[in-house]
Amino acid sequence: MIESILWDVDGTMAETERDGHLKAFNQAFESLSLPWRWSEQRYGELLAIAGGRERLLHDLEHQSRAPESPRQRRALADGVHRLKNELYARIVADGELPLREGVRELLNDCESARVRLGIVTTTSRSNVEVLLKTHLGEDWESKFAVTVCSREAPRKKPHPQAYLVALDALQLRPHQAVALEDSQAGVAAAQAAGVPVIVTRSHYFMAAESRGALAVGPSLGRIDGWHPAADARTTRIDLRQIVRWHAAARHLGGQSRLQ
């Protein structure tokens, strides 16, 4: 029996990277009169580095017109990142960043079945809060039995810290939960904690490594393109389908981490 569904946020619940964070970073660069912008391709490359501030610091090392000293680069990254988060909040609040298809419906499935929900991300709480408050209401946090963000788990994915913190708070063994992720780092984090994972591919992670996942597919909102195949009698990936995949993995013994 699945006791909890643990949600990643960026890319999994919404296409936040392409449609939110990238846009906000470029707005911040412009507002601060900085002489560079990130293309969609360049931002995709930078996503190999976990954390927005960390991506900034990495990129500044390769910008010819960036400050020379590490101290100045850190100060600039801090300022840009603060402003970027403010601009991101405006983008979300203005309704420019919808939830991905099937997300709200699966949340409702879990609530109806009394399967506990969790947020497991290493992004900032402010980014999570503005997205979920916009789409789920002021009482969004009451819908989740645990919310793990960068403050609770400072070690970024693929480190399993965020999942270990969530499991401890929920008092669950790893196999009693299922993680929903989109990126290779997220999949690795869940698996390192022993949590079975379902991969719903996002714009920047269409080809992310997903070996050992319960299932991999393009969207929770439809059944085509999933491996293993989803039940043809359904129209989306619902809680019953997740239970089927979880049970099949345990029965076949193909998930050594389900212990």
Side-chain angles (χ1 to χ4, degrees), residues 161-231:
Q161 184 183 41
Y163 279 101
L164 296 173
V165 170
L167 290 171
D168 183 63
L170 293 168
Q171 297 187 314
L172 293 179
R173 295 173 65 188
H175 76 273
Q176 294 176 299
V178 168
L180 294 176
E181 286 280 358
D182 71 309
S183 70
Q184 184 169 333
V187 171
Q191 291 179 338
V195 179
V197 59
I198 289 173
V199 183
T200 173
R201 296 199 184 282
S202 62
H203 174 76
Y204 277 118
F205 296 107
M206 288 295 181
E209 175 62 48
S210 56
R211 187 176 306 164
L214 293 179
V216 182
S219 168
L220 294 173
R222 57 183 187 270
I223 62 169
D224 56 297
W226 281 89
H227 303 281
D231 191 325

Side-chain angles (χ1 to χ4, degrees), residues 11 14 34 40 50 59 72 77 79 91 95 102 114 127 136 169 177 183 193 197 210 218 224 226 229 239 247 254:
L34 295 172
E40 187 172 315
D59 192 60
Q72 290 176 313
I91 290 169
R114 298 186 179 179
N127 287 341
L136 304 181
S183 70
V197 59
S210 56
D224 56 297
W226 281 89
L239 181 59

Side-chain angles (χ1 to χ4, degrees), residues 19-241:
D19 301 334
H21 294 297
L22 172 58
K23 184 175 180 179
F25 270 121
N26 282 332
Q27 288 178 355
F29 296 150
E30 182 176 4
S31 295
L32 296 171
S33 300
L34 295 172
W36 58 81
R37 304 291 182 271
W38 286 343
S39 67
E40 187 172 315
Q41 179 181 351
R42 176 57 177 159
Y43 190 66
E45 295 167 354
L46 289 171
L47 285 175
I49 300 163
R53 181 178 178 276
E54 290 78 7
R55 288 176 205 130
L56 277 167
L57 287 169
H58 175 81
D59 192 60
L60 288 174
E61 293 176 2
H62 304 278
Q63 293 285 355
S64 60
R65 288 180 283 181
E68 292 186 3
S69 78
R71 182 184 62 80
Q72 290 176 313
R73 288 200 297 269
R74 287 194 297 270
L76 179 58
D78 288 343
V80 172
H81 196 240
R82 280 195 300 271
L83 178 57
K84 169 258 168 184
N85 283 343
E86 294 174 9
L87 294 168
Y88 174 82
R90 294 180 195 173
I91 290 169
V92 176
D94 287 344
E96 298 178 33
L97 196 55
L99 295 178
R100 291 184 65 186
E101 60 177 351
V103 168
R104 189 183 300 274
E105 291 83 355
L106 183 54
L107 291 171
N108 291 339
D109 289 348
C110 293
E111 185 175 2
S112 297
R114 298 186 179 179
V115 170
R116 289 182 289 172
L117 294 166
I119 294 294
V120 181
T121 180
T122 48
T123 194
S124 67
R125 182 181 176 86
S126 62
N127 287 341
V128 173
E129 183 168 13
V130 69
L131 179 71
L132 297 185
K133 182 186 292 185
T134 298
H135 291 291
L136 304 181
E138 292 288 337
D139 65 339
W140 70 270
E141 195 167 11
S142 67
K143 302 178 187 300
F144 296 91
V146 63
T147 302
V148 178
C149 301
S150 58
R151 181 178 59 191
E152 293 79 21
R155 303 190 70 173
K156 303 288 187 182
K157 297 175 183 178
H159 194 280
Q161 184 183 41
Y163 279 101
L164 296 173
V165 170
L167 290 171
D168 183 63
L170 293 168
Q171 297 187 314
L172 293 179
R173 295 173 65 188
H175 76 273
Q176 294 176 299
V178 168
L180 294 176
E181 286 280 358
D182 71 309
S183 70
Q184 184 169 333
V187 171
Q191 291 179 338
V195 179
V197 59
I198 289 173
V199 183
T200 173
R201 296 199 184 282
S202 62
H203 174 76
Y204 277 118
F205 296 107
M206 288 295 181
E209 175 62 48
S210 56
R211 187 176 306 164
L214 293 179
V216 182
S219 168
L220 294 173
R222 57 183 187 270
I223 62 169
D224 56 297
W226 281 89
H227 303 281
D231 191 325
R233 293 171 295 180
T234 63
T235 58
R236 61 177 175 85
I237 305 304
D238 57 16
L239 181 59
R240 289 174 297 180
Q241 180 61 66

